[in-house]
């Protein structure tokens, strides 16, 4: 590899590599310069100033090797962005996935005015693809870790107690059938003895079969083959002898 090729490769790798600035260098920079704009704001500013070179949406065009120097000269004295901010923003721009996607065989680099200045070489394309693969792998690893952490957090949550609509048998803590529970609570069948109307007298206590149940009542009067009775709940009714019991 010639000296010129080595220099070109170094510059391209600086353009396409992920921005990895040492914490100490970042701290020194923060102490010497008041950063007024984020990288995102600087990139949006560059896209506005040089729309044929930079973009904020879609696939980005590969940049000319050594474009930073052209930018520094074009924006010399610009109060919006400093050289240091410009350098950080440019590194972030060229490490973005959409920029790395655009670094493919046959793609042409562009200058600030969008003019083609040469086709990407094979080694530069491979470098960009490697950077993209590493970035995707890191993201996948991060998401897997987050998913595992969320799953572990769910395991540590206290289990919810089951709720049942059916009544419980406290003796064995098992749900019992609601109909069976109702049947158990019903009154046991009463032993009834049939009576004749002739043997009944006014104000006598009597049992009256009303539907499937038996009610207590008092005789009000006997009228031919029926008896007029009043149930304990106050209801007055006429009943035949077959529904009267002692």
């Amino acid at each position: 590899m010639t000296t010129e090729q080595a220099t070109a490769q170094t510059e391209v790798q600086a353009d396409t590599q992920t921005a990895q600035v040492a914490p100490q260098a970042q701290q020194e920079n923060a102490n010497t310069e008041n950063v007024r704009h984020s990288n995102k704001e600087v990139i949006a500013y560059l896209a506005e100033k040089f729309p044929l070179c930079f973009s904020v949406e879609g696939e980005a065009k590969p940049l000319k090797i050594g474009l930073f120097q052209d930018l520094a000269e074009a924006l010399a004295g610009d109060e919006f962005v400093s050289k240091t901010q410009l350098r950080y923003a440019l590194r972030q721009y060229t490490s973005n996935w959409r920029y790395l996607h655009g670094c493919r065989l046959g793609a042409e680099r562009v200058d600030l005015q969008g003019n083609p200045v040469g086709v990407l070489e094979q080694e530069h394309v491979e470098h960009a693809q490697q950077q993209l693969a590493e970035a995707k792998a890191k993201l996948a690893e991060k998401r897997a870790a987050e998913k595992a952490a969320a799953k572990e957090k769910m395991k540590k949550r206290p289990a919810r107690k089951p709720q049942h609509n059916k009544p419980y048998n406290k003796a064995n803590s098992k749900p019992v059938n609601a109909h069976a529970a109702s049947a158990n609570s019903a009154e046991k069948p009463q032993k009834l003895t049939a009576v004749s109307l002739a043997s009944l007298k006014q104000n006598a206590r009597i049992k009256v079969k009303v539907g499937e149940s038996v009610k207590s009542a008092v005789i009000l009067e006997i009228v031919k083959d029926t008896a007029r009775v009043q149930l304990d709940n106050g209801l007055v009714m006429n009943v035949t002898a077959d529904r009267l019991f002692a």
Side-chain angles (χ1 to χ4, degrees):
M1 181 183 296
T2 65
T3 303
E4 293 181 354
Q5 289 177 325
T7 302
Q9 180 179 358
T10 302
E11 289 186 280
V12 169
Q13 290 177 348
D15 283 345
T16 58
Q17 70 182 358
T18 304
Q20 296 178 340
V21 182
Q24 181 178 357
Q26 289 180 321
Q27 183 63 41
E28 290 175 356
N29 178 67
N31 292 336
T32 58
E33 180 180 6
N34 181 21
V35 179
R36 293 172 295 174
H37 303 289
S38 66
N39 287 338
K40 184 177 180 181
E41 291 172 326
V42 173
I43 292 172
Y45 180 68
L46 294 178
E48 181 181 350
K49 295 279 289 184
F50 310 103
L52 299 179
C53 180
F54 295 95
S55 65
V56 293
E57 294 181 351
E59 193 173 86
K61 299 176 182 179
L63 302 179
K64 169 189 173 182
I65 295 176
L67 187 73
F68 173 76
Q69 188 59 38
D70 294 346
L71 275 173
E73 294 175 1
L75 298 176
D78 193 309
E79 295 182 356
F80 184 86
V81 60
S82 67
K83 272 191 175 183
T84 303
Q85 288 179 287
L86 187 61
R87 190 183 301 277
Y88 279 96
L90 190 60
R91 285 179 178 175
Q92 178 171 313
Y93 184 82
T94 55
S95 66
N96 189 278
W97 285 21
R98 64 189 188 90
Y99 181 87
L100 297 176
H101 271 296
C103 294
R104 63 172 66 93
L105 284 177
E108 288 190 305
R109 296 180 179 276
V110 296
D111 61 13
L112 292 178
Q113 288 70 43
N115 300 317
V117 292
V119 178
L120 280 173
E121 296 181 10
Q122 175 70 34
E123 58 186 319
H124 303 157
V125 173
E126 291 177 355
H127 180 75
Q129 291 177 344
Q130 180 183 355
Q131 293 294 319
L132 182 60
E134 290 176 357
K136 288 184 177 181
K138 287 181 180 180
L139 179 61
E141 183 179 351
K142 179 181 178 181
R143 288 180 175 175
E146 291 175 348
K147 186 176 181 180
K151 189 175 182 180
E152 187 65 24
K153 185 177 180 180
M154 288 293 293
K155 287 182 179 179
K156 294 181 179 179
R157 288 185 178 180
R160 296 181 61 183
K161 294 182 179 179
Q163 297 181 355
H164 301 276
N165 293 327
K166 293 182 178 181
Y168 271 81
N169 185 328
K170 293 183 179 180
N172 53 21
S173 298
K174 293 183 179 180
V176 298
N177 185 279
H179 180 72
S182 177
N184 291 336
S185 62
E187 294 182 0
K188 294 181 179 180
Q190 300 183 34
K191 187 177 180 180
L192 303 175
T193 303
V195 297
S196 63
L197 289 176
S199 64
L200 297 177
K201 296 181 180 180
Q202 189 176 5
N203 297 326
R205 298 290 297 176
I206 196 73
K207 299 290 185 181
V208 181
K209 190 172 184 181
V210 181
E212 297 299 324
S213 60
V214 177
K215 306 291 184 180
S216 296
V218 61
I219 300 293
L220 297 180
E221 61 178 327
I222 304 298
V223 182
K224 295 184 179 180
D225 57 350
T226 62
R228 186 174 180 80
V229 301
Q230 182 177 15
L231 304 181
D232 288 350
N233 60 10
L235 179 65
V236 176
M237 58 190 303
N238 292 330
V239 295
T240 56
D242 62 328
R243 294 169 62 190
L244 299 174
F245 301 91

